[in-house]
Amino acid sequence: MSVPMSMAATVVLYPSPGIGHLISMVELGKLILTRHPSFSITIFTTTTSFNTGSTGPYLRRVSSTTPSITFHNLPLIPLDPASFPSTEAITFELLRLNTPHVRRSLLSLSTTTTIAAFVIDLFCTPALPLGSELNIPSYYFFTSGAGCLDCFLYLPTIHQNINQSFKDLNTDLYFPNLPPIPAADMPSPMLERNSTEYECFIDFFNHMPKSDGIIVNTFEALEPRALKAISDGLCVPNGVTPPVFCIGPLIASGEDRGGGGGDVEECLTWLDTQPSRSVVFLCFGSLGLFTGEQLKEIAIGLERSGQRFLWVVRAPPTQTPVLLALPDPDLGSLLPDGFLDRTKERGMVVQSWAPQVAVLQHDSVGGFVTHCGWNSALEAVCAGVPMVAWPLYAEQRLNRVLLVKEMKLALWMNESESGFVTAEEVEKRVTELMDSEEGKAVRDRVKAASEGTREAMSEGGSSRVALAKLVESWNQS
């Protein structure tokens, strides 16, 4: 479909449900508008009958501050979370059932405007054929890093060469230009070869090379080896690798402090009273949950470490499926007796949510214990804050290998086979991050990477050049 320069055109973005994926897509839309304001942005949002993180307040803020972004809500498809074995399984089924609605929405939109491009999330692969059918250039927006993309593009090759489940392989897997990755560190839904989730993922990875291009939320200087492997065709040895556009880092603005009630202002005000680079921040994403026993171990480890801390605590999982919303935690019953009083001079515990970008950018924060979600990792890199990597779900264990062993921007949190982390390990890693030579070395590398983010996003920087090439490809389609 040709896009006349004189005619207003829209770029359709289709994220999978989940606040993290939505934020990344919105930031992509904002970036396109900043550099190419002649476009408008239409974002298809999926209404779910299960918990994917609260999106309502965020959507309202974006709509009020960026009128060139329009949200189009796809019809609700009611699904019972109890009927599915995992978040991924219900999400995949929802997005598969969404496809006819997406098709109708694209057709309706095309009667009033020109669609310059259709950009989908990895989970939205069932909608990829619509691009060819409707003659719209179709791209993936990959919300993890280039190292993860390297793995995903190469996994169909590994799939053909082994016949066991990753959970049964006590060995490392080898991907082009990456450190060895334990098979057990593959994304958790892929560990069982005979599962629906594994089958869907392999199908997604096989489809990615069929797109017109892959937009990646990273920048060239952060992951040069993985990007070289992809561009050299090493990750799709039996096919064609589409163009890859590294336009990151895309992170949400730290200016918006709203959305979390009084605790938000309170935690930022508390940080104002702390010495520079003295506070370790612990936060584990919108779906990161710990048992009550694990929360107590974290508390004991923090107290023993003697370090200043800001800790976001969410209610532990209950008999209620994790896909349903949880109440705010009862800190008094969850944490050790007297913990809050004993640590009140050097620590603060926040219920459920904190403005992560604003916290990481605060001068008082000197370390970050993270679940290794890619958005969170990029936010830390941009802010120049070193990390302790404690993955919980999705592709986070894979991200930990890359952050610790390839990029060397984080320390490794050791857990038991069941995933439990002791108070001694929490104390050791937090202290190491904030007060050791190894922690300083990580801090220095993160500082250099942070400077690299500014270079990539500056005029003439690699990410700006990649975005210009991406938009030019739309204009020539």
Side-chain angles (χ1 to χ4, degrees):
M1 179 181 291
S2 179
V3 183
M5 296 300 289
S6 60
M7 180 178 178
T10 194
V11 177
V12 177
L13 308 180
Y14 179 28
S16 64
I19 186 69
H21 291 263
L22 177 63
I23 288 173
S24 290
M25 280 286 196
V26 168
E27 293 305 316
L28 175 61
K30 288 181 181 178
L31 177 64
I32 293 167
L33 292 173
T34 299
R35 307 299 297 180
H36 302 276
S38 62
F39 287 110
S40 65
I41 302 294
T42 303
I43 300 181
F44 290 172
T45 58
T46 302
T47 308
T48 67
S49 53
F50 53 95
N51 178 36
T52 56
S54 175
T55 59
Y58 176 73
L59 292 176
R60 288 191 288 273
R61 287 199 296 274
V62 173
S63 295
S64 65
T65 58
T66 316
S68 292
I69 295 181
T70 301
F71 293 99
H72 176 82
N73 296 319
L74 299 168
L76 172 66
I77 300 173
L79 294 174
D80 179 9
S83 301
F84 294 86
S86 67
T87 306
E88 290 80 12
I90 191 172
T91 301
F92 295 165
E93 179 63 7
L94 175 64
L95 293 172
R96 185 185 69 80
L97 295 172
N98 249 356
T99 304
H101 298 311
V102 174
R103 184 180 186 277
R104 280 193 289 271
S105 298
L106 288 170
L107 283 171
S108 175
L109 194 61
S110 65
T111 64
T112 59
T113 187
T114 300
I115 302 177
F118 180 43
V119 182
I120 67 172
D121 184 273
L122 176 66
F123 287 7
C124 300
T125 292
L128 180 67
L130 296 177
S132 297
E133 178 191 341
L134 303 177
N135 198 27
I136 303 169
S138 299
Y139 296 75
Y140 279 93
F141 179 40
F142 193 70
T143 52
S144 291
C148 192
L149 178 61
D150 176 318
C151 292
F152 286 4
L153 288 173
Y154 194 71
L155 271 170
T157 300
I158 288 182
H159 170 75
Q160 292 174 348
N161 292 333
I162 64 171
N163 53 21
Q164 289 178 275
S165 294
F166 291 139
K167 67 179 179 61
D168 298 326
L169 286 175
N170 186 24
T171 185
D172 289 335
L173 301 176
Y174 293 89
F175 298 88
N177 285 12
L178 294 180
I181 297 174
D185 282 347
M186 285 296 99
S188 50
M190 292 198 68
L191 293 178
E192 175 54 66
R193 187 181 180 92
N194 296 321
S195 68
T196 300
E197 295 93 328
Y198 180 92
E199 181 182 335
C200 286
F201 270 119
I202 292 296
D203 181 60
F204 295 170
F205 303 156
N206 274 316
H207 274 84
M208 291 185 83
K210 301 174 184 177
S211 65
D212 291 295
I214 304 173
I215 307 163
V216 189
N217 188 9
T218 191
F219 58 102
E220 290 182 4
L222 184 65
E223 304 183 86
R225 294 199 327 130
L227 286 167
K228 186 173 190 325
I230 295 167
S231 64
D232 287 351
L234 302 180
C235 301
V236 190
N238 300 314
V240 177
T241 303
V244 172
F245 304 91
C246 298
I247 47 74
L250 293 181
I251 62 170
S253 167
E255 296 172 4
D256 183 1
R257 295 185 175 191
D263 276 357
V264 175
E265 290 297 341
E266 188 181 350
C267 78
L268 293 170
T269 301
W270 179 81
L271 283 173
D272 290 340
T273 68
Q274 304 303 311
S276 177
R277 302 299 177 201
S278 66
V279 176
V280 60
F281 176 47
L282 299 92
C283 189
F284 300 92
S286 57
L287 298 175
L289 303 177
F290 291 116
T291 64
E293 182 186 11
Q294 182 65 83
L295 290 173
K296 285 185 169 63
E297 286 291 304
I298 296 171
I300 294 168
L302 287 175
E303 185 171 1
R304 288 177 181 170
S305 76
Q307 301 293 329
R308 300 173 190 270
F309 64 87
L310 174 63
W311 179 20
V312 180
V313 173
R314 307 186 74 234
T318 62
Q319 296 303 314
T320 303
V322 70
L323 296 172
L324 301 178
L326 292 167
D328 282 340
D330 178 0
L331 299 179
S333 64
L334 287 173
L335 303 179
D337 289 344
F339 170 79
L340 293 172
D341 283 337
R342 291 191 302 273
T343 61
K344 64 184 179 182
E345 297 302 320
R346 60 177 175 85
M348 182 177 184
V349 179
V350 178
Q351 290 182 324
S352 300
W353 187 86
Q356 182 166 290
V357 173
V359 169
L360 287 169
Q361 291 176 350
H362 198 287
D363 178 68
S364 295
V365 173
F368 182 29
V369 181
T370 174
H371 64 310
C372 303
W374 187 245
N375 284 347
S376 294
L378 282 182
E379 289 164 7
V381 170
C382 289
V385 177
M387 293 165 270
V388 172
W390 185 347
L392 299 177
Y393 55 90
E395 86 290 5
Q396 293 162 10
R397 293 175 70 88
L398 172 55
N399 285 342
R400 173 171 63 178
V401 175
L402 298 171
L403 286 167
V404 174
K405 297 187 176 180
E406 177 68 8
M407 294 175 253
K408 297 181 170 57
L409 303 178
L411 300 176
W412 190 286
M413 184 75 85
N414 291 301
E415 70 263 55
S416 70
E417 284 191 13
S418 67
F420 191 76
V421 173
T422 64
E424 289 76 16
E425 177 68 9
V426 172
E427 176 188 4
K428 178 180 178 181
R429 291 304 169 205
V430 166
T431 303
E432 184 180 22
L433 183 70
M434 302 297 286
D435 190 22
S436 77
E437 284 302 312
E438 187 172 354
K440 181 180 182 302
V442 173
R443 186 182 314 278
D444 290 343
R445 285 191 291 270
V446 173
K447 183 178 179 181
S450 178
E451 293 168 357
T453 67
R454 288 185 282 277
E455 292 174 8
M457 297 297 273
S458 64
E459 204 64 45
S462 62
S463 294
R464 289 284 186 254
V465 170
L467 179 64
K469 289 180 179 177
L470 175 64
V471 172
E472 185 61 27
S473 73
W474 299 341
N475 291 331
Q476 293 176 349
S477 297

